[in-house]
Amino acid sequence: KVLGIPKGKIYLSLSGGIDSMVLAHFLINGKKDFSVIHFNHGTQYGNKASLFVEEFCFNRDIPCRIYNYEEENNSEYEWAEWRRRILTRSYLIGQSYPVLTAHHKDDSLESLLMRHHPISYLNKNIYRPLLAATKQEIRDYASNNGVKYVEDPTNSDPESGLRNKIRNELIPLMRECKINPY
């Protein structure tokens, strides 16, 4: 369920997590020419993920640029704004190439439920080719194809941010109440 991947030079925002690693797998198998942009938030997991992404790119001769967050404010919102500023300023990455992110159907639902929270953004150079795929489909693909990734332990902690509270508490409650969130 990959939607139109742009032709030509592509940048992939690669976190090292399952979603972006599945998208990297698609690009590699599709013989797409791409470079990686990685964001290290400076957390213990962020440093581990950066090493994973750096090694992944090095072993495959994929150009990689790592951005390190160096501000003191470590909120989910500040991190999102920092990434948005980098992804939408083409002069920081050279030319105005498309940037792929691995947002999927479940991420869209979380963003919709967070609508009044200023963390979601769209930009004309950012493409989200996995929007038709669910998280479970991504997990199944990774398992069936041996895609390696690192797991952020905070993803399952509802106390580590609004998105995680929605992901781990609100959406499961909606499903339990037979409310189809899609």
Side-chain angles (χ1 to χ4, degrees):
K1 293 197 173 186
V2 178
L3 306 176
I5 295 176
K7 293 182 180 179
K9 185 66 175 168
I10 300 168
Y11 283 89
L12 171 62
S13 180
L14 187 67
S15 69
I18 190 170
D19 308 332
S20 63
M21 293 306 294
V22 162
L23 186 51
H25 189 266
F26 280 129
L27 293 173
I28 290 167
N29 285 339
K31 303 194 183 331
K32 295 286 187 180
D33 178 26
F34 71 100
S35 296
V36 163
I37 299 171
H38 174 76
F39 299 100
N40 181 350
H41 298 112
T43 63
Q44 183 177 359
Y45 166 76
N47 295 328
K48 177 182 176 183
S50 284
L51 290 173
F52 177 82
V53 167
E54 191 172 27
E55 183 177 318
F56 174 84
C57 292
F58 178 80
N59 290 338
R60 289 158 186 81
D61 200 28
I62 299 170
C64 177
R65 179 156 185 194
I66 296 176
Y67 291 90
N68 294 297
Y69 187 80
E70 297 175 357
E71 304 298 319
E72 290 186 25
N73 189 347
N74 289 321
S75 73
E76 188 176 357
Y77 174 76
E78 290 299 322
W79 287 340
E81 281 298 303
W82 170 66
R83 291 189 308 265
R84 181 194 58 76
R85 283 191 307 270
I86 292 169
L87 291 176
T88 58
R89 289 186 183 157
S90 60
Y91 69 87
L92 291 176
I93 58 175
Q95 298 177 16
S96 187
Y97 291 120
V99 177
L100 302 184
T101 66
H103 293 100
H104 48 78
K105 194 172 188 175
D106 294 43
D107 289 326
S108 287
L109 174 60
E110 292 163 11
S111 293
L112 176 67
L113 293 171
M114 293 175 69
R115 184 173 215 128
H116 298 292
H117 194 273
I119 198 166
S120 301
Y121 59 87
L122 291 172
N123 191 281
K124 63 182 178 182
N125 72 316
I126 298 174
Y127 295 84
R128 299 171 180 189
L130 297 181
L131 280 180
T134 65
K135 182 68 167 195
Q136 189 57 53
E137 289 170 327
I138 290 170
R139 284 188 194 111
D140 292 346
Y141 181 91
S143 176
N144 293 336
N145 291 281
V147 176
K148 296 193 182 337
Y149 58 93
V150 290
E151 183 69 36
D152 182 347
T154 66
N155 283 344
S156 60
D157 178 11
E159 300 307 314
S160 68
L162 179 60
R163 182 175 292 277
N164 287 340
K165 190 174 260 330
I166 289 169
R167 174 185 299 143
N168 294 299
E169 292 179 356
L170 180 59
I171 293 173
L173 179 62
M174 291 171 73
R175 289 186 175 128
E176 183 181 315
C177 294
K178 307 270 189 265
I179 298 170
N180 182 0
Y182 297 122

